[in-house]
Amino acid sequence: GAVVSQHPSWVICKSGTSVKIECRSLDFQATTMFWYRQFPKQSLMLMATSNEGSKATYEQGVEKDKFLINHASLTLSTLTVTSAHPEDSSFYICSADRAQAGAGYTFGSGTRLTVV
Amino acid sequence: DAKTTQPNSMESNEEEPVHLPCNHSTISGTDYIHWYRQLPSQGPEYVIHGLTSNVNNRMASLAIAEDRKSSTLILHRATLRDAAVYYCILRPYSGNTGKLIFGQGTTLQVKP
């Protein structure tokens, strides 16, 4: 149990276009999901906390108008990278919380975004 | 957020036990100790977590110091598939949900 599906697994887009990444909890409901980005040979950096039915909470330094997060249902959160530029190329990873006190989080398999 | 300190890298031989240490001297009473691992080009995978008592599961064991200021992840018999970056993270208890802040982790190399 506790599977999180992330789609697409990789995407190449042109500079200036927008890209949407989906994160779905397949067998549980997730009121809270998290979005991370990871550059090569670096650790994961938390971008934002996505709450079902309300606005996302962004970490300091993350542009909320550039990284749009929508969490419209208990099983789906989306991250849209708007007007993508080459410096946005990164590995984006989502995770979902089963809301069990102290329990482990489940992560998606990640999305490799390359902006050309 | 309370921070953790881990060695940058460790090596192990296949089929030998591996002890991965983590220091978290500023842990608060309600922080859970979580361990995740990440293989190249994949999302992190949950390994184990604990609060005060030692924990065992099919993947590993977690030994927590009595003062909770340190912990050790134990892989009983390392395999080549255990080569990964291992992250020790404190999960704050915050109304059942607390964000995970990743440190640099320990890169484990397993030699055949």
Side-chain angles (χ1 to χ4, degrees):
Chain A
V3 177
V4 171
S5 174
Q6 191 171 338
H7 179 80
S9 56
W10 61 270
V11 58
I12 302 173
C13 72
K14 291 185 177 181
S15 189
T17 62
S18 296
V19 173
K20 180 185 285 187
I21 302 169
E22 293 188 348
C23 180
R24 294 181 185 271
S25 55
L26 297 186
D27 50 1
F28 65 99
Q29 293 183 331
T31 56
T32 304
M33 292 185 176
F34 303 90
W35 287 96
Y36 295 83
R37 68 187 297 183
Q38 184 176 34
F39 293 108
K41 298 192 183 301
Q42 294 188 22
S43 186
L44 285 76
M45 184 192 80
L46 180 65
M47 299 175 67
T49 302
S50 170
N51 300 296
E52 186 267 336
S54 64
K55 290 183 178 180
T57 304
Y58 290 83
E59 294 297 304
Q60 192 173 9
V62 177
E63 299 175 59
K64 61 181 180 181
D65 293 332
K66 180 167 188 61
F67 299 100
L68 300 180
I69 292 172
N70 183 278
H71 194 155
S73 78
L74 288 172
T75 59
L76 174 64
S77 176
T78 61
L79 168 68
T80 301
V81 183
T82 62
S83 187
H85 290 285
E87 56 265 32
D88 298 324
S89 298
S90 187
F91 192 51
Y92 292 87
I93 306 166
C94 70
S95 74
D97 178 19
R98 284 176 287 162
Q100 296 173 3
Y105 290 0
T106 305
F107 287 79
S109 54
T111 297
R112 174 78 57 194
L113 170 64
T114 303
V115 184
V116 297
Chain B
D1 297 321
K3 293 182 67 174
T4 63
T5 303
Q6 299 176 253
N8 288 334
S9 63
M10 290 185 66
E11 285 185 357
S12 172
N13 294 318
E14 199 176 9
E15 299 192 2
E16 289 187 355
V18 181
H19 290 232
L20 298 165
C22 181
N23 288 319
H24 28 79
S25 59
T26 59
I27 190 171
S28 74
T30 55
D31 285 342
Y32 286 83
I33 301 163
H34 279 223
W35 283 83
Y36 295 81
R37 70 181 186 182
Q38 185 181 25
L39 278 65
S41 298
Q42 294 187 27
E45 174 188 26
Y46 166 79
V47 178
I48 201 167
H49 79 278
L51 184 61
T52 56
S53 303
N54 295 344
V55 184
N56 298 298
N57 67 20
R58 64 176 179 81
M59 290 182 70
S61 295
L62 176 60
I64 301 173
E66 200 168 327
D67 63 4
R68 300 210 326 129
K69 293 186 176 182
S70 65
S71 61
T72 302
L73 178 70
I74 303 166
L75 306 179
H76 296 287
R77 287 184 64 198
T79 69
L80 296 178
R81 290 179 296 178
D82 291 323
V85 180
Y86 286 79
Y87 296 98
C88 167
I89 306 171
L90 301 182
R91 174 186 167 168
Y93 180 86
S94 176
N96 278 348
T97 297
K99 56 188 181 183
L100 297 181
I101 304 298
F102 283 75
Q104 292 307 305
T106 296
T107 299
L108 175 66
Q109 291 183 320
V110 180
K111 298 178 182 177

